[in-house]
């Protein structure tokens, strides 16, 4: 084979590899929105809804993800799995849930590997209301609640 032919073949193979590499990269970029949509437990505040119903059961530590307190709420359209976050946060805020309670929850429904779960931002029951997540969907913890309480008390002292 002549040297010129080898150079042409090598150039052709290089161009082909670059072209295929770009096609694979473009395919990966095209899949990103789909992968982001499949990400579990992504709280999208624009999809927030309110649901009312009767508590069928309450579990302080559910074995199915997301970990934390869950309740099953019987609504007009069927029973839904509702995630409340840390049971200790509910207890610290003197908020209890029992079978037969009427409740209203505000949050977002998310798909998980085990099924659909409703991530609660606010729960209301018998005149009580408790915020469980920030406006962006981040779960509130005891530490965050203490910090928020300390900030509010400082603001009240400053206002005197």
């Amino acid at each position: 084979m002549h040297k010129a032919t080898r150079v042409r073949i090598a150039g052709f193979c290089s161009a082909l590899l670059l072209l295929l590499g770009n096609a694979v990269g473009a395919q990966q970029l095209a899949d990103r929105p789909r992968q982001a949509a499949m990400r579990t437990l992504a709280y999208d505040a624009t999809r927030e809804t309110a649901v009312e119903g009767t508590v069928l059961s309450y579990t302080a530590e559910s074995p199915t993800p997301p970990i934390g307190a869950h309740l099953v709420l019987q609504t007009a359209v069927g029973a839904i799995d509702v995630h409340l976050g840390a049971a200790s946060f509910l207890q610290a805020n003197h908020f209890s849930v029992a079978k037969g309670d009427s409740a209203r929850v505000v949050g977002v429904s998310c798909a998980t590997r085990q099924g659909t779960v409703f991530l609660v931002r606010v729960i209301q029951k018998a005149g009580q209301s408790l915020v469980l997540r920030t406006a962006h969907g981040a779960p509130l913890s005891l530490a965050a609640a203490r910090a928020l309480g300390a900030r509010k008390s400082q603001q009240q002292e400053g206002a005197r």
Side-chain angles (χ1 to χ4, degrees):
M1 229 188 251
H2 298 298
K3 187 174 182 179
T5 307
R6 287 186 196 151
V7 170
R8 283 188 205 133
I9 292 173
F12 176 75
C13 288
S14 296
L16 185 62
L17 286 175
L18 283 173
L19 185 65
L20 290 175
N22 285 339
V24 169
Q27 181 63 38
Q28 288 174 343
L29 287 175
D31 286 344
R32 282 189 185 165
R34 192 173 341 144
Q35 290 170 348
M38 291 175 56
R39 195 175 305 143
T40 59
L41 305 182
Y43 195 95
D44 182 3
T46 62
R47 296 182 322 127
E48 215 169 63
T49 59
V51 180
E52 294 183 47
T54 303
V55 177
L56 295 178
S57 66
Y58 170 77
T59 306
E61 291 299 324
S62 176
T64 58
I67 295 172
H70 283 247
L71 61 86
V72 176
L73 193 66
Q74 180 64 49
T75 68
V77 294
I80 60 171
D81 180 15
V82 176
H83 179 256
L84 301 175
S88 58
F89 185 75
L90 295 170
Q91 293 168 348
N93 286 285
H94 309 289
F95 197 93
S96 62
V97 181
K99 183 178 179 179
D101 288 347
S102 291
R104 179 177 187 270
V105 292
V106 177
V108 174
S109 186
C110 292
T112 68
R113 290 180 185 148
Q114 289 76 20
T116 302
V117 66
F118 193 83
L119 303 176
V120 176
R121 187 175 63 80
V122 179
I123 184 168
Q124 298 169 333
K125 177 191 85 119
Q128 284 184 297
S129 182
L130 182 62
V131 177
L132 304 171
R133 294 175 177 272
T134 66
H136 299 291
L140 292 175
S141 65
L142 290 176
R146 286 187 199 117
L148 182 61
R151 211 173 320 140
K152 283 183 180 178
S153 66
Q154 287 173 351
Q155 290 173 349
Q156 290 173 351
E157 287 174 7
R160 291 181 192 173

